[in-house]
Amino acid sequence: MRLPCLLLWSCTWMLSAADPLPSASLTPVPVPVPAPVTENPTRVFLQTLAQAPEVRALIAQRQAMRHLEGAAGRLPDPMLSLGYARKRTPMETMPMYEVMLEQPLPRWGERDAARAMAASSTRMSDAEIAAEVAQLASDLAMALAEIDGLSALVTEGEAEELRIAALSRAVDARVASGDAGVLDRLALDTRRERLALRLDDARRLLADRSAEIRGRLAWPTTTALPVFAAPTPEMIDPTRTPLALAAEAKRLEAVAAMQEARAMGRPETAIGVRAEREAEDGGNEDTIGVTISISLPIARGAIAAGEDAAHARLRAAERLAEAARWRTSTAVDAARRAIAQAARADDLAKRLLTRAHAEHQAVIAALASNGADLTAALDLHDRLAELRLAVIEARVQARQAQASLWSHVIPELPPGPTP
């Protein structure tokens, strides 16, 4: 997230001697932290996510794939054949009736290959669902981090409106006594108007992001937003990610394709039982027989090509697994750097604001005694505003970097009712 207008509050901490604020007001503005919850925040976040319509649809899709897997590898249906013919001889014509029941039998290993292919399809569906749920979790966590930053900006902007009002009273008094000019008053009016516009923009963005989250979760406006939660870099296992799960599903699919290609090189059989009756004048003649049919897999080149293709798919799956590990490791390193940068920004802000306290007091005292002009006070507080806003932005970026780690986690959704 890029917070709107880094110099959003261009005239912060405008103090007068008649309306001073305590020195504690110079400490960095923290991003609002929700009240601690008794349960694990990550688990609560996932429980919230499981109620989203998108996730419930994905869960229903996964159940469908499970049912299809149970139907894989079944035997072909038996075939019932009925026949009628007329047999003519020089002496007579006789009707003939035939009934045949045949059971096709798949090639040896073909049913196992079908089951393995269905299992790989289920695993691929699991990987796709995990990736979509993880992406949804990442999107919501990033939006929540942005909302925290916008809330901090709104809070600081509202406090700044009060500071500008206090400074305006001091400047009005100096204008009335002839110690300040009308231009000083106009400068404050301009800053107040710009602040009001930017504050309204921040409130609009805050409302938009809140509505976006509620829309994804199908929540009414009366429901409070969920608490931000995201995995830490230490919780990420590069071998257990949606990308790694997809690579493993590809590997299982390649193994199943290998079994299928090998099964195609074996003969397919069918066993049948046949009953035949010839109706003659002297009595019926019945014939009962057994038939066995065996296919001749002569297309050896095509069968070998199928095996070669399965070998290539297996190598591709291995490369996908390697790429997934590298992508996850890169994302974890980036998150660590962002979190460390936010910690450094916090520490730097404390040290710089402590140092600036003495200068701040001196300028305010000089301004009250007509020993300093308004421009010097505005310049000082603009620098302090930049610092505080940079801290807010660094914290939001750190949270969003942490939120991006959801894309590298297999979300363990809590069990719930059938969608």
Side-chain angles (χ1 to χ4, degrees):
M1 168 196 171
R2 183 67 181 175
L3 292 178
C5 301
L6 185 60
L7 301 180
L8 183 60
W9 325 122
S10 56
C11 62
T12 53
W13 305 279
M14 299 293 97
L15 306 178
S16 66
D19 190 14
L21 290 179
S23 59
S25 65
L26 293 178
T27 56
V29 176
V31 173
V33 178
V37 294
T38 55
E39 296 186 63
N40 186 329
T42 301
R43 179 171 179 79
V44 173
F45 187 79
L46 289 176
Q47 287 174 342
T48 300
L49 201 67
Q51 302 305 316
E54 296 176 50
V55 177
R56 293 173 67 84
L58 292 172
I59 293 174
Q61 176 183 341
R62 180 169 60 186
Q63 290 177 347
M65 295 301 298
R66 298 290 185 194
H67 292 312
L68 289 177
E69 182 180 355
R74 69 181 184 88
L75 283 172
D77 294 328
M79 301 293 293
L80 177 64
S81 302
L82 302 176
Y84 171 78
R86 294 182 66 84
K87 180 180 179 182
R88 288 192 177 189
T89 67
M91 303 295 298
E92 59 183 341
T93 300
M94 299 172 292
M96 299 177 62
Y97 306 93
E98 183 180 20
V99 177
M100 182 173 180
L101 181 65
E102 184 179 47
Q103 174 63 62
L105 298 177
R107 297 173 175 87
W108 181 71
E110 188 175 9
R111 296 176 66 197
D112 291 338
R115 294 191 188 98
M117 187 63 72
S120 69
S121 297
T122 301
R123 290 294 296 274
M124 181 58 69
S125 177
D126 289 342
E128 293 172 354
I129 291 172
E132 292 187 41
V133 174
Q135 187 59 52
L136 177 60
S138 178
D139 293 343
L140 292 183
M142 283 192 173
L144 288 172
E146 185 176 358
I147 284 175
D148 287 342
L150 289 170
S151 298
L153 290 180
V154 170
T155 300
E156 181 54 36
E158 292 171 346
E160 181 55 26
E161 287 182 325
L162 299 177
R163 297 185 183 107
I164 291 180
L167 185 59
S168 296
R169 292 193 294 270
V171 171
D172 287 342
R174 292 185 60 176
V175 170
S177 63
D179 296 328
V182 178
L183 292 180
D184 293 332
R185 187 70 177 83
L186 292 177
L188 282 177
D189 290 342
T190 300
R191 286 172 177 255
R192 183 191 298 107
E193 293 169 359
R194 291 171 58 192
L195 174 61
L197 180 62
R198 291 166 181 168
L199 187 56
D200 288 342
D201 190 54
R203 288 177 179 140
R204 177 186 60 80
L205 289 174
L206 183 59
D208 289 346
R209 294 297 178 269
S210 300
E212 178 184 347
I213 292 177
R214 289 190 174 94
R216 299 290 292 273
L217 297 176
W219 282 6
T221 56
T222 55
T223 304
L225 293 177
V227 177
F228 173 87
T232 61
E234 292 72 26
M235 296 170 59
I236 305 301
D237 181 0
T239 63
R240 281 189 51 78
T241 67
L243 289 174
L245 191 61
E248 175 62 15
K250 288 287 187 182
R251 188 190 69 81
L252 293 177
E253 185 182 40
V255 171
M258 179 73 67
Q259 292 177 317
E260 187 177 42
R262 289 173 178 171
M264 293 301 294
R266 304 182 182 108
E268 183 179 14
T269 59
I271 298 178
V273 177
R274 180 174 60 85
E276 182 179 306
R277 168 169 291 183
E278 296 183 13
E280 299 181 359
D281 292 340
N284 297 329
E285 292 187 5
D286 295 330
T287 304
I288 298 177
V290 176
T291 62
I292 298 178
S293 302
I294 300 177
S295 67
L296 302 176
I298 58 176
R300 307 308 301 181
I303 296 172
E307 294 187 21
D308 292 340
H311 279 295
R313 293 166 69 178
L314 188 59
R315 290 193 298 271
E318 293 171 352
R319 300 289 80 77
L320 282 177
E322 182 181 3
R325 291 192 294 270
W326 277 105
R327 287 183 60 180
T328 300
S329 299
T330 301
V332 170
D333 291 341
R336 283 199 177 101
R337 289 192 295 270
I339 295 172
Q341 178 63 25
R344 287 193 294 269
D346 266 342
D347 182 65
L348 178 63
K350 292 176 182 177
R351 289 188 282 109
L352 292 182
L353 288 172
T354 300
R355 263 185 249 159
H357 178 67
E359 182 183 357
H360 170 267
Q361 295 296 334
V363 171
I364 293 303
L367 182 63
S369 61
N370 299 333
D373 58 10
L374 183 62
T375 302
L378 294 179
D379 289 343
L380 171 61
H381 294 300
D382 282 348
R383 293 199 302 272
L384 296 176
E386 287 185 43
L387 182 59
R388 292 178 66 143
L389 294 176
V391 170
I392 293 176
E393 185 172 11
R395 291 181 179 180
V396 171
Q397 287 181 347
R399 274 196 165 186
Q400 290 190 327
Q402 188 177 349
S404 68
L405 294 179
W406 274 120
S407 300
H408 303 275
V409 172
I410 300 176
E412 298 292 340
L413 295 176
T418 302

